[in-house]
């Protein structure tokens, strides 16, 4: 079956059943796109899709089960998307395994492979499938969501940081390889973003985190969605292969941030 509304541009956002991916899906729906949401859970993807469709009448919002470790599943989702919408204007690669508590001393090969295959390999093959459609169209925009850990690592996130560093490199290669087909690729590099994992934190724990950031607060998912949308949109039509850091100033600062730097 074909989409009833095939005039709207189409965006796919991976890992969009919650948090930043969800806010990004809402942003694209609000900007007049039809939107595809992916999650490891088909049920969660469809639930998020129906919520967003209810809030943005006119947008077709579809949810797909797509664990990024499963390349056949990735291929199948892009095949379904192409056959339903007949086009793909934007890919936002966002779905990420966080890889907590992994360091150089304790990481075993299975945990290493899981994070790299969820993130680096998952992003790569989503980009490959998107590129096949976009090359035919001679038009498209890809936004990769990286992490400030690839610029300034913290201990115990070594594989996650490396997985995001590779994504930073893909960004420039994809931009160079696909520019001649009218396809741009850029990377948003977030620092701390509010997400569901903050819900259990005490006020003191949140205040201690905020003390580290020159801007004095974390990004909300919508702050990151704004940067993603800008890079995807025609407002950024000559921007490709670049990084947009959205980190409340944390990576600009050397050592621990002193918010009283101007006091005696
Ligand atoms: N939050 C931060 O402070 C922060 C800081 C720097 C960078 N970032 C990056 O910014 C993006 C958005 O952050 P966020 O906090 O909104 O992300 P998140 O919700 O932690 O992760 C995004 C989505 O990825 C999916 N996911 C989780 N584990 C996965 C796995 N093993 N394989 C495939 N998919 C998996 C989840 O969707 P399902 O469970 O529905 O599959 C999840 O909703 C991510 O790319 C993240 O790496 C975040």
């Amino acid at each position: 079956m074909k989409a009833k509304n095939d005039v709207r541009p189409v965006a796919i956002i991976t890992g969009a059943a919650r948090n930043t991916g969800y806010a990004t899906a809402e942003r694209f729906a609000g900007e007049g796109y039809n939107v595809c949401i992916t999650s490891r859970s088909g049920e969660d993807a469809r639930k998020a899709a129906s919520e967003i469709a209810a809030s943005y009448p006119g947008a077709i919002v579809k949810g797909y089960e797509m664990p990024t470790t499963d390349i056949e599943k990735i291929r199948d989702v892009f095949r379904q998307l192409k056959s339903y919408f007949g086009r793909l204007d934007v890919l936002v690669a966002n779905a990420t395994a966080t890889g907590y508590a992994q360091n150089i001393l304790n990481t075993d090969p299975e945990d290493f492979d899981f994070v790299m295959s969820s993130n680096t390999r998952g992003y790569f093959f989503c980009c490959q499938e998107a590129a096949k459609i976009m090359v035919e169209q001679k038009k498209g925009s890809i936004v990769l969501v990286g992490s400030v850990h690839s610029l300034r690592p913290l201990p115990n996130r070594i594989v996650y940081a490396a997985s995001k560093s590779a994504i930073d490199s893909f960004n420039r290669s994809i931009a160079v390889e696909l520019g001649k087909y009218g396809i741009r690729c850029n990377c948003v590099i977030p620092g701390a973003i509010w997400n569901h994992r903050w819900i259990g934190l005490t006020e003191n724990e949140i205040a201690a985190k905020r003390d580290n950031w020159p801007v004095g607060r974390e990004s909300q998912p919508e702050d990151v969605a704004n940067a993603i949308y800008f890079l995807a949109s025609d407002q950024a039509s000559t921007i490709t292969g670049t990084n947009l850091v959205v980190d409340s100033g944390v990576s600009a600062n050397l050592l621990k941030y002193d918010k009283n730097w101007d006091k005696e």
Side-chain angles (χ1 to χ4, degrees), residues 91 123-128 131 134 141-142 144 166-181 183-186 240-241:
L91 161 67
Y123 272 47
F124 184 87
F125 286 99
C126 288
C127 290
Q128 185 176 79
M134 291 173 177
S141 183
I142 296 173
L144 309 176
I167 285 160
D168 176 37
S169 167
F170 290 163
N171 176 38
R172 287 181 291 277
S173 294
I174 294 169
V176 168
E177 290 175 355
L178 299 185
K180 70 173 187 169
Y181 297 106
I183 300 164
R184 296 183 299 105
C185 185
N186 288 289
T240 195

Side-chain angles (χ1 to χ4, degrees), residues 99 102 107 111-113 115-116 157-164:
Q102 295 182 331
T107 303
D111 290 343
F112 182 97
D113 288 348
V115 174
M116 292 305 264
R157 304 294 295 281
I158 191 167
V159 188
Y160 171 82
S163 77
K164 294 290 192 174

Side-chain angles (χ1 to χ4, degrees), residues 54-81:
S55 304
Y56 298 92
I60 299 174
V61 189
K62 291 184 78 72
Y64 297 99
E65 178 186 328
M66 195 185 81
T68 51
T69 44
D70 184 342
I71 292 174
E72 271 322 303
K73 200 81 189 174
I74 292 174
R75 289 182 174 146
D76 182 51
V77 165
F78 280 83
R79 259 194 304 269
Q80 288 185 55
L81 175 162

Side-chain angles (χ1 to χ4, degrees), residues 83-160:
S83 100
Y84 186 75
F85 290 106
R87 64 190 284 175
L88 176 62
D89 299 270
V90 173
L91 161 67
V92 180
N94 168 71
T96 295
T98 46
Y100 284 121
Q102 295 182 331
N103 60 58
I104 186 63
L105 300 175
N106 74 358
T107 303
D108 61 32
E110 290 72 28
D111 290 343
F112 182 97
D113 288 348
F114 177 71
V115 174
M116 292 305 264
S117 73
S118 303
N119 302 355
T120 309
R121 189 165 168 270
Y123 272 47
F124 184 87
F125 286 99
C126 288
C127 290
Q128 185 176 79
E129 290 309 304
K132 287 179 192 165
I133 304 173
M134 291 173 177
V135 164
E136 266 178 37
Q137 299 170 169
K138 296 215 167 357
K139 186 176 183 336
S141 183
I142 296 173
V143 181
L144 309 176
V145 185
S147 168
V148 77
H149 283 259
S150 69
L151 307 174
R152 305 272 189 280
L154 288 173
N156 278 318
R157 304 294 295 281
I158 191 167
V159 188
Y160 171 82

Side-chain angles (χ1 to χ4, degrees), residues 44-59:
D44 290 355
R46 286 187 290 276
K47 181 169 172 287
S50 63
E51 284 168 11
I52 295 175
S55 304
Y56 298 92

Side-chain angles (χ1 to χ4, degrees), residues 152 212 214 249-258 261:
R152 305 272 189 280
N212 290 315
V250 71
S251 64
N253 184 59
L254 184 67
L255 301 179
K256 189 165 167 42
Y257 184 62
D258 176 7
W261 64 269

